[in-house]
Amino acid sequence: MLKHNSYFNGNVQSVGFERHGRRQTVGVIDTGEFHFSTEAPERMTVVAGELAIRIDGSTEWRAYPAGTSFEVAGKSGFDVRATQPTGYFCEFL
Amino acid sequence: MLKHNSYFNGNVQSVGFERHGRRQTVGVIDTGEFHFSTEAPERMTVVAGELAIRIDGSTEWRAYPAGTSFEVAGKSGFDVRATQPTGYFCEFL
């Protein structure tokens, strides 16, 4: 059972699914800057393009090009900046 | 400008975008077997899970686990079989 999610007036959209009991999504972040809050811990893998990420509590932006991943603690959040629409794969840990 | 696509009664869903003038999508194929027709040639990369693929005109099913890609000619098609929901990245070539 797939589920379409839309955030930030459709500027971030994903398709959620469950495999082997774990929730995952694939999605796209359009050009812009957005803040996400995490409930569960999650691992984000950039599939196409590149994201700049600043984890809550940090002042440093870090670049994550396609093929790289970052993890975010639960009950936390992160800023994300995309200069071109960027595809990602998100795993809830 | 992102675009949500839904096929096969919602059993295949994707989010389409354009980067550097090229059309791409990320999406999910739910458990089942489906046939896709191609207009443009495309490259499919499995992001999470595994797909079995049979290109039109072939009798052979081939397995594509996460991290692998296959290409399909334009004006052609392929059968796809997923035993668990599987995430993909599609580039129109």
Side-chain angles (χ1 to χ4, degrees), chain A residues 1 3 6 12 21 30-31 47 50 52 57 61 65 67 69 81 83 85:
Chain A
M1 181 70 176
K3 183 174 177 296
S6 181
V12 177
D30 208 347
T31 304
V47 167
E50 180 169 320
W61 286 91
S69 299
R81 207 154 53 189
T83 57

Side-chain angles (χ1 to χ4, degrees), chain A residues 1 4 19-20 30 48 84-85, chain B residues 1 4 19 30 48 84-85:
Chain A
M1 181 70 176
H4 174 239
R19 202 175 65 244
H20 302 308
D30 208 347
Q84 292 272 323
Chain B
M1 183 66 175
H4 174 238
R19 199 173 68 243
D30 207 348
Q84 291 272 323

Side-chain angles (χ1 to χ4, degrees), chain B residues 3-49:
Chain B
K3 184 174 178 295
H4 174 238
N5 307 297
S6 182
Y7 310 97
F8 305 109
N9 296 314
N11 288 310
V12 176
Q13 294 186 40
S14 69
V15 179
F17 58 107
E18 195 173 303
R19 199 173 68 243
H20 303 306
R22 310 306 293 263
R23 286 190 309 128
Q24 310 183 331
T25 68
V26 295
V28 183
I29 295 168
D30 207 348
T31 305
E33 186 175 323
F34 310 95
H35 181 268
F36 289 90
S37 297
T38 62
E39 193 59 38
E42 59 189 63
R43 181 187 301 123
M44 291 273 287
T45 300
V46 179
V47 167

Side-chain angles (χ1 to χ4, degrees), chain A residues 3-89:
Chain A
K3 183 174 177 296
H4 174 239
N5 307 297
S6 181
Y7 311 97
F8 305 109
N9 297 313
N11 288 308
V12 177
Q13 294 187 40
S14 69
V15 179
F17 58 107
E18 195 174 304
R19 202 175 65 244
H20 302 308
R22 309 307 293 264
R23 285 190 310 128
Q24 311 184 329
T25 69
V26 295
V28 183
I29 295 169
D30 208 347
T31 304
E33 187 176 323
F34 310 95
H35 181 268
F36 289 90
S37 297
T38 61
E39 193 59 38
E42 58 188 63
R43 180 188 302 123
M44 290 273 287
T45 300
V46 178
V47 167
E50 180 169 320
L51 296 175
I53 299 296
R54 184 174 58 187
I55 302 288
D56 282 8
S58 168
T59 56
E60 183 195 10
W61 286 91
R62 293 186 60 187
Y64 290 90
T68 65
S69 299
F70 58 94
E71 293 184 357
V72 187
K75 311 275 184 202
S76 174
F78 58 100
D79 292 305
V80 56
R81 207 154 53 189
T83 57
Q84 292 272 323
T86 294
Y88 67 88
F89 168 50

